[in-house]
Amino acid sequence: MSSVSKGAVTSSRSKMKREQTRRGLLYALPDWLFIIILFFVPILLLVVMAGSRWSLMGGNRGWNFPENFVKVFHSDLLGQSIWFTIEYTVIVTIILLALGLGLALIVQESSKWNTVLRTCFLLPSATGLASASLLFYAMYSPQVGPVTKILHFFGLIGEGGSVLATGQSALWATVIVIVWRFSGYYMLLMMIGLQSIPGDLYEAARMDGANSWRIFRSITLPLMKPTVVMCLVYCVTGSILAFDQFFILTKGGPNNSTMTVVQLIYNFAFDSKKDLGMAAALSLLVLIALVIINSIQMRGMRDNTK
Amino acid sequence: MKSFKQAGRILAGVVAAAMLIPMAACGGGSTDQAAKKVTGAGADDGTTITLWTRAPLERQAKNVVSAYNSSHKNKVKLEIIPNDDMEGKVGGASQTDSLPDVLAGDVVRIPYWASEGIFTDITKQIGALKNKADLQQGHIEAGTVDGKEYTLPFITDVSIMVWNKDLYKEAGLDPEKGPSSIKDFTEQAKAIAGLNKSGVAGSYVAGQSGGALVFDLFPSVWADGESVMNKEGTEAKLDNPSMKAELEAYKTLANTPNGLGSGSKEETGATWTAPFANGKIGVMPYPNTSVTAIMEAEKKGGFHVGVTPLPGTKEGKTSTFLGGDAMGISKDSKHVAQSWNFLSWLMQDKTQAKVFAAKGDTASNVKTLKTAYTNADKRVQTINSVIIDGNGQTPKSPKFNEAFNAAGSPFQLLVQNAIWGNGDLSADNKAVTKALGDN
C-alpha cells in the first residue's frame, strides 16, 4: 500500500518536473529561434563562404579552404587598412571618451541651463550616421560648402581645394563628423554612471577637506570604471567596424589612404575582386579579432574593489 | 538531454537547408539549349521582356525602348540602374537566378561578366546576322569567350578631343584648329592657362577615376601603334614612350599655374565633364555623349566647341576608346526568342538610323554612320569618323575593373604618381600587371 503511494508521489513529482522543463523550454523557444536564425545560421554561412570559391557573379563553386585566407593575407591593402583602422580607432576613442566625460561633468547638476545644454549636446545623436555624413559631405564640398571658403580665408587651404583631398585631412574631417554625432551619446552614458555614485561619498570627502581634483581622482574615476569600460567597448567596436562615414565621405580615397578594414571587405566583395569568398574570410578574421579585443576589455569591467 | 539532441537535429537541418540555397544557384545552361532553337528575327508574340542598363546612358536607352515598343507586339520594360550599383545588383540577381532578359553593361565590364557565365550563348544568331561585319566589332569582341559570342553593341560612346573656341580666340590661338599631337595639346593648354582668368584652366583630368582616365589616356597610346596590355589582357604595357610622353604633358600642366583645373587631382569622375561644359577649361579629351549637350547649349548662346580625334605623339595618327554599353541575353531569360527579336531589330541599319542618328546620337553600325548623318553637324561627322576609321579599340581583360576602373586601382595610383608625384612608371606598371594576372 505504502510503496504504491510512494511510487505514485515520485512519478507525479518527476512528471511535474518534466512538465516544468517542457514549459521552460517552450518559453525559451522563441529566443532560441531568433538566435539560431539570425546568429548561428549567418555565421555558419559565413564560415562556408570563407572556405569556398564564391564569386559575386558565379556563385558557389566548391570548397577551397584556405585559399581565400591566403589571398586576403597577400592583398596589398590589408596591412594599410588595418593600420588606418587602428589609427582611427585610437583617435576617435580618446576624443570621444574624454569629451563624453567632460560634457557629463559640465551638465551633471540639474539646473535650467544645464537642461538646455544637455539637449544641445544630445541633439546630433538624433540624426542617422549616414545623414550626418551626407550633411558634412555637403559642408566639405568646395562647390557648395562653406568649409573650403573659411579655411581659404585663413590661408590654410588653396582656393577650390577640398579637406577630403589628402589622407590626413580626410581622416580628421571624418573624426569631426563622428565626434559631432556621438559625443552627446557618450555624455548620456557617462552621466548615468556619474549619477549612480552616492552623494554622501562626496559629502564625506568634502568634510575631510579634499579639493575638487582629489575628489575627481579618488572617488569619481574609480567608481566610474565600469561605465568607462562599457563606453570603451562600445567606442572601440564601433570604430573598428567604421564603414558608413568613410563610404560616404571618401570611399576609401584619396588613393586608398582612408580604407578601413570593413571598407576593404566591401571592396573585395563588390568592387575590385568581386569575390565573396575573400570578403567572408576577412569578415571572419575581423569577427575573431573583435571577440579577442572585447574579451580583454571586459576584464576591466569586473569590479575588483571588493 | 533528449530535447537538446532534438534541438541539435533541428539546427543541423536548418544549416543543411541553408547550404542548399547556393547549390540551387549553380544550375543553368538551360538558356543555351533554348537559344539553339532561335532563328531569324526571333519571336514577336506580345511578351514583356526586361532590360537593365546603367544611368549614364539613360537618354539613348529610353529612345531605343520607346521605338521598339511602338513598333512591336513585344514590350521591353526598361530599368535604369545607378552606375556604381550595377555590379552588385547584377551579382545578386545572378546568384538568385533573377537576371533580366536582356542585360546591358559597361563594355569594359563585359569580359568579366561573360567569363562568369552571365549570358546565353548566341554565337549562331550573331553569325546569321547579314550585317555583322558593319557592327562595331569592339563590343562583340568584348563578349567573346573561348570562341563563343555573347554580346552585341547597345550604345557606343567614344572619346574625342574638345576645345573651347572662345577661350582659344582670347588666347590668340586659331579657334578652328585643335591639337594634332600631344605637344600641340600641351602648348595650347598652356596658352589658355596664360590667360590668368579666374577659374579658367588649360585642361582638366579626372585624377581619381580610373574609368575616365583610361578613356582619356589610352587612345593616344593606340594612335602611336603602341598597346596598353598584351593580347590576353594579363600583362600591362603602360611603360611605353607614348604613355610616358602623355603623362609628362599632364605633369607639365600640373606644374603650370592654372594648367590643370582645380579639383583635377581629387576628381572621382562624378563631375569630370562639368568644368569644360561650364566653359572653364581650354582643351581636354571628352566623351562624345556629353558633346551633344554642349552643342545644344551653343545654339542658345553658349560657348563654341571644337571637336577633333585624339592624337598621338606624332601628327597624323589618331585613335579613340570604343566605350559605351554592350548587351546580351542573360542566363536566366525565359524569353530567349523574344529577346533576340529585340537585339536583331536594333542591329538593323534602318533602326540605328532612326533611334540614334535622327536623335543626334552615335550609331553602332558603320553603314549607318556613313549614310545617315549627311545633314548632321560637321562635328558629329568628325565623331563618327573615329568609329568608321577602325583605329579605335576596346581594351579587353577579365580583370580590367580591378586593375583600372575600381576606386584606388593600381592604374589610378600610377597616374597620380606620374602627374602629381615622382612616379616610377615601370614599378607602377608592374603593380597593374599584378592585378591583371591575379587569380
Side-chain angles (χ1 to χ4, degrees):
Chain A
M1 190 62 188
S2 65
S3 71
V4 171
S5 72
K6 205 178 176 186
V9 167
T10 30
S11 96
S12 85
R13 199 176 279 165
S14 76
K15 211 176 179 182
M16 224 166 80
K17 207 172 176 195
R18 238 184 299 146
E19 172 65 15
Q20 256 177 353
T21 320
R22 199 182 68 85
R23 201 182 293 163
L25 281 174
L26 258 178
Y27 278 133
L29 188 66
D31 283 354
W32 270 107
L33 270 181
F34 274 110
I35 290 172
I36 288 170
I37 294 172
L38 298 177
F39 190 72
F40 284 116
V41 171
I43 285 186
L44 259 161
L45 263 176
L46 183 75
V47 172
V48 171
M49 229 175 197
S52 308
R53 202 174 141 237
W54 198 317
S55 73
L56 180 61
M57 307 270 163
N60 188 0
R61 290 191 181 150
W63 195 251
N64 74 343
F65 182 82
E67 209 182 289
N68 287 329
F69 292 89
V70 173
K71 280 198 274 183
V72 166
F73 282 117
H74 275 127
S75 165
D76 298 333
L77 292 174
L78 182 68
Q80 190 187 329
S81 69
I82 290 176
W83 179 241
F84 178 75
T85 309
I86 292 173
E87 189 187 357
Y88 169 78
T89 302
V90 170
I91 294 174
V92 164
T93 305
I94 290 174
I95 296 182
L96 272 185
L97 291 195
L99 206 62
L101 186 56
L103 291 179
L105 287 170
I106 291 173
V107 302
Q108 183 194 7
E109 247 124 271
S110 186
S111 73
K112 205 166 122 197
W113 277 111
N114 277 347
T115 321
V116 175
L117 273 181
R118 273 183 210 171
T119 318
C120 287
F121 293 153
L122 200 57
L123 215 52
S125 305
T127 56
L129 182 51
S131 348
S133 305
L134 267 176
L135 179 72
F136 275 80
Y137 183 76
M139 296 220 283
Y140 291 150
S141 154
Q143 276 88 34
V144 297
V147 172
T148 296
K149 287 181 190 104
I150 294 168
L151 290 179
H152 179 62
F153 179 77
F154 290 109
L156 293 169
I157 201 171
E159 193 186 355
S162 167
V163 286
L164 300 175
T166 69
Q168 275 303 308
S169 61
L171 166 63
W172 285 101
T174 312
V175 168
I176 288 172
V177 177
I178 293 305
V179 168
W180 179 81
R181 166 68 177 74
F182 283 102
S183 52
Y185 176 70
Y186 285 99
M187 171 200 79
L188 197 68
L189 292 180
M190 295 284 192
M191 222 165 69
I192 295 166
L194 279 179
Q195 285 175 348
S196 68
I197 299 173
D200 38 3
L201 281 179
Y202 286 117
E203 217 177 304
R206 255 181 232 118
M207 274 180 190
D208 289 345
N211 61 17
S212 320
W213 172 242
R214 185 65 206 258
I215 291 174
F216 176 73
R217 220 163 37 110
S218 305
I219 295 179
T220 312
L221 268 190
L223 287 171
M224 280 288 282
K225 196 176 151 199
T227 313
V228 171
V229 173
M230 180 187 70
C231 290
L232 190 72
V233 172
Y234 271 160
C235 199
V236 167
T237 309
S239 305
I240 289 176
L241 295 179
F243 177 74
D244 314 37
Q245 60 272 41
F246 286 107
F247 186 72
I248 290 171
L249 286 170
T250 67
K251 293 225 164 169
N255 303 331
N256 301 324
S257 55
T258 59
M259 180 78 78
T260 63
V261 176
V262 179
Q263 260 191 306
L264 191 61
I265 295 174
Y266 176 87
N267 187 288
F268 282 163
F270 299 107
D271 200 8
S272 64
K273 307 276 181 188
K274 302 200 189 64
D275 188 336
L276 297 182
M278 270 176 88
L282 183 52
S283 306
L284 204 59
L285 294 174
V286 173
L287 180 69
I288 292 167
L290 272 180
V291 168
I292 294 170
I293 292 170
N294 280 340
S295 63
I296 293 171
Q297 292 185 98
M298 288 298 199
R299 279 165 181 270
M301 230 200 257
R302 283 190 205 149
D303 197 352
N304 44 17
T305 50
K306 278 166 198 162
Chain B
M1 264 334 268
K2 198 182 156 203
S3 51
F4 269 111
K5 267 186 201 155
Q6 228 164 5
R9 235 175 286 151
I10 293 169
L11 179 62
V14 171
V15 171
M19 282 159 90
L20 280 176
I21 297 168
M23 297 203 177
C26 274
S30 59
T31 49
D32 285 349
Q33 298 301 319
K36 284 207 175 101
K37 294 179 207 128
V38 179
T39 51
D44 183 18
D45 51 11
T47 311
T48 298
I49 48 182
T50 46
L51 164 66
W52 284 3
T53 192
R54 63 195 173 110
L57 303 170
E58 176 174 2
R59 194 174 78 94
Q60 291 91 332
K62 277 188 170 157
N63 288 340
V64 169
V65 167
S66 72
Y68 181 84
N69 287 348
S70 61
S71 58
H72 288 76
K73 286 193 212 109
N74 288 344
K75 290 288 166 272
V76 173
K77 216 176 123 225
L78 177 67
E79 193 174 331
I80 306 279
I81 293 160
N83 196 24
D84 290 348
D85 297 350
M86 195 75 188
E87 211 93 49
K89 183 141 185 180
V90 169
S94 164
Q95 302 218 7
T96 51
D97 294 328
S98 52
L99 285 167
D101 294 302
V102 182
L103 180 64
D106 189 338
V107 69
V108 298
R109 291 174 180 158
I110 292 288
Y112 175 72
W113 292 8
S115 67
E116 290 285 321
I118 293 283
F119 295 115
T120 299
D121 178 9
I122 47 172
T123 318
K124 203 184 81 182
Q125 288 77 12
I126 294 178
L129 282 172
K130 285 195 189 78
N131 60 349
K132 185 188 169 188
D134 289 340
L135 299 175
Q136 211 249 92
Q137 297 299 310
H139 285 204
I140 299 178
E141 179 57 31
T144 304
V145 180
D146 299 330
K148 287 182 178 163
E149 291 169 355
Y150 295 97
T151 57
L152 284 168
F154 181 40
I155 291 158
T156 300
D157 189 12
V158 292
S159 50
I160 32 101
M161 187 73 85
V162 293
W163 70 95
N164 184 323
K165 290 183 179 176
D166 297 6
L167 288 176
Y168 266 48
K169 234 181 256 174
E170 256 178 81
L173 295 165
D174 179 358
E176 296 310 317
K177 202 177 161 296
S180 54
S181 69
I182 296 287
K183 209 170 137 241
D184 278 2
F185 166 75
T186 321
E187 276 164 12
Q188 295 177 6
K190 268 183 167 172
I192 302 295
L195 285 174
N196 260 330
K197 267 177 89 170
S198 160
V200 170
S203 190
Y204 193 77
V205 65
Q208 305 267 350
S209 167
L213 287 171
V214 299
F215 196 66
D216 286 357
L217 300 177
F218 283 5
S220 299
V221 175
W222 293 327
D224 284 350
E226 303 272 2
S227 47
V228 292
M229 286 187 288
N230 65 350
K231 263 218 159 64
E232 295 75 34
T234 52
E235 196 188 321
K237 296 186 159 187
L238 297 161
D239 48 355
N240 61 63
S242 303
M243 194 61 162
K244 229 176 252 175
E246 206 176 353
L247 292 169
E248 202 55 47
Y250 280 104
K251 191 184 173 92
T252 311
L253 291 177
N255 292 331
T256 308
N258 305 322
L260 287 182
S262 66
S264 281
K265 192 182 175 199
E266 299 89 40
E267 174 65 62
T268 56
T271 54
W272 77 283
T273 56
F276 184 83
N278 294 335
K280 300 287 188 195
I281 301 298
V283 55
M284 72 182 282
Y286 213 62
N288 80 305
T289 42
S290 305
V291 175
T292 324
I294 297 178
M295 291 197 297
E296 272 162 23
E298 185 184 292
K299 282 176 204 152
K300 292 172 199 144
F303 67 90
H304 295 80
V305 59
V307 173
T308 192
L310 286 171
T313 52
K314 298 178 249 342
E315 274 184 42
K317 290 274 177 62
T318 64
S319 183
T320 191
F321 191 107
L322 294 172
D325 283 24
M327 66 174 166
I329 300 172
S330 85
K331 67 172 173 65
D332 302 331
S333 174
K334 299 205 165 43
H335 312 293
V336 177
Q338 291 81 357
S339 303
W340 176 250
N341 182 266
F342 172 68
L343 262 61
S344 64
W345 164 82
L346 185 60
M347 292 309 117
Q348 303 312 312
D349 315 343
K350 270 190 210 157
T351 316
Q352 295 261 330
K354 189 178 149 200
V355 301
F356 296 127
K359 312 263 182 194
D361 293 318
T362 311
S364 304
N365 183 320
V366 176
K367 203 172 160 199
T368 314
L369 288 172
K370 284 179 183 161
T371 57
Y373 293 85
T374 41
N375 295 325
D377 192 300
K378 210 157 170 279
R379 290 167 294 188
V380 173
Q381 295 183 21
T382 306
I383 292 169
N384 292 346
S385 74
V386 305
I387 305 171
I388 297 169
D389 67 20
N391 294 334
Q393 296 190 29
T394 307
K396 185 184 173 188
S397 165
K399 297 277 179 176
F400 193 84
N401 189 63
E402 182 184 346
F404 294 97
N405 271 46
S409 71
F411 176 66
Q412 180 192 318
L413 299 185
L414 178 148
V415 174
Q416 287 269 333
N417 290 340
I419 301 181
W420 291 281
N422 291 308
D424 178 352
L425 195 57
S426 77
D428 287 341
N429 182 58
K430 274 193 196 116
V432 180
T433 295
K434 187 167 173 264
L436 284 172
D438 211 8
N439 274 307

